[in-house]
Amino acid sequence: MIDFLIVGSGLAGISFAEVALNNNKSILVFDNDSQNSSKIAGGLYNPVILKRFSEVWKAEEQLKLMKDFYIIVEEKLKTKFDFSTPILRKFFSIEEQNNWFSASDKTGLAPFLSTAIITKKYDGITSPFNYGEVLHTGYVDTALLLTKYRIYLKDKELLIQDSFDYSLLEIKTDSVIYKGIEAKNIVFAEGFGMHENPFFKYLPLDGTKGELFIIKATDLNLDVIVNTSVFILPLGDNLFKVGATYNWKDKTDLPTLEGRQELLERINEIIDCEFEVIAHFAGVRPTVYDRRPLIGTHVDHKSLHLLNGLGTRGVMLGPSMANALFDAIVNGIALDPAIDIKRVKPKNFN
């Protein structure tokens, strides 16, 4: 009998796999590569919601756990994934500057918003009102991370690349059996694919489609991430990742003309140089109405668990939520009610 079956190897799945392995637990991961939101994600980590100038929930705690987590993974896989990079908010008016300074006086935001205006000029961007700098920021190369981690799991014979057939799951009192494999627990980390899961599909997981570009701009010279209505992330060799859009109706992972036009318009609001679209991606983020993850144990089956709803901040939330679920399962430490699936009212059950 193994300790954990894990369904899904996006940011949520590999975060839990890593936490379990680091605690000397045995695992086996199933994935059919049907969900791509983690793979194409911008991968930014930012403790401030710049649109509303509000602090990300438990940002300081998440950042510390995240940093420790990626240091361990980088050492294990001998690959650099985490890149500390300043995020600059381009100001479009004096009023925006004033709003920035007002926000930086708030207790929760003061550690993350610099009060020094950044006046540096970047080729390809006109910025008469300069920039504000968000502190403790950067990005994780999620595509590289997931690729390398899946190779690691495969080399250890811990990954089965196959669709999970829920109808074949046998649920016992203290374990589960799937295709002859018995495990003490199963953790579902399927992202938006949770809607096919008969055990947890009652939960209010929404999908927010996001579209991104890779652009080439030879006259744009950036060594920082610029974030306004979209982010522009330098990748090297005059390439930049740009995103993302938010579409709450379309649940497909196909790029659209509407998304393309929106991204083009927003890029042109930020930069004033020529650029070429090299690639166009789309994916559906697993989001929740109250902007909190969905973590916990099935009400009737104590061996069935969920790690989902990381939304737009998977690189920050993944490690901390994986630790929280692991501690709840193995050590009996109660989950924060804000993330526990118990917060969903019984009337929502099917």
Side-chain angles (χ1 to χ4, degrees), residues 113-328:
L113 295 181
S114 172
T115 56
I117 293 293
I118 303 299
T119 60
K120 181 177 178 179
K121 302 304 178 184
Y122 294 96
D123 294 341
I125 302 180
T126 301
S127 54
F129 300 100
N130 301 309
Y131 307 88
E133 181 179 359
V134 188
L135 307 174
H136 310 295
T137 59
Y139 72 97
V140 172
D141 188 333
T142 56
L144 182 60
L145 168 64
L146 295 179
T147 298
K148 291 287 188 178
Y149 205 90
R150 288 167 180 167
I151 291 171
Y152 165 79
L153 291 174
K154 196 170 183 180
D155 288 345
K156 298 288 185 180
E157 297 185 342
L158 300 176
L159 176 64
I160 295 178
Q161 294 173 293
D162 191 16
S163 296
F164 190 87
D165 188 340
Y166 303 100
S167 68
L168 299 180
L169 185 67
E170 301 175 52
I171 304 172
K172 305 297 184 181
T173 304
D174 296 311
S175 66
V176 296
I177 300 175
Y178 182 72
K179 293 185 176 180
I181 304 164
E182 188 168 11
K184 296 176 184 176
N185 300 278
I186 184 167
V187 174
F188 292 103
E190 310 124 306
F192 189 64
M194 190 197 80
H195 285 284
E196 304 299 321
N197 187 324
F199 307 108
F200 292 104
K201 67 179 182 179
Y202 68 87
L203 291 167
L205 183 74
D206 197 4
T208 308
K209 181 173 182 172
E211 301 190 43
L212 301 94
F213 281 166
I214 303 295
I215 66 170
K216 185 171 186 177
T218 55
D219 295 326
L220 182 59
N221 182 22
L222 277 180
D223 57 359
V224 298
I225 301 165
V226 174
N227 194 339
T228 58
S229 57
V230 292
F231 65 81
I232 300 180
L233 166 65
L235 301 174
D237 296 325
N238 298 317
L239 297 176
F240 302 85
K241 181 179 285 189
V242 181
T245 63
Y246 291 83
N247 186 322
W248 288 268
K249 294 181 179 179
D250 184 357
K251 309 301 183 184
T252 71
D253 59 4
L254 300 175
T256 65
L257 289 175
E258 294 81 5
R260 180 183 179 87
Q261 187 59 37
E262 181 179 344
L263 285 172
L264 290 173
E265 290 174 359
R266 293 187 177 186
I267 293 169
N268 284 316
E269 290 174 355
I270 304 171
I271 69 176
D272 54 12
C273 62
E274 296 293 323
F275 64 90
E276 176 188 1
V277 177
I278 302 298
H280 184 184
F281 304 104
V284 182
R285 314 172 186 93
T287 54
V288 186
Y289 68 97
D290 61 2
R291 297 188 177 90
R292 296 288 181 268
L294 293 170
I295 315 294
T297 298
H298 194 278
V299 64
D300 294 321
H301 306 299
K302 301 309 177 186
S303 296
L304 273 59
H305 314 281
L306 185 73
L307 178 55
N308 210 316
L310 303 187
T312 61
R313 301 183 184 275
V315 296
M316 276 182 68
L317 278 170
S320 61
M321 294 302 98
N323 273 287
L325 180 59
F326 183 88
D327 279 340

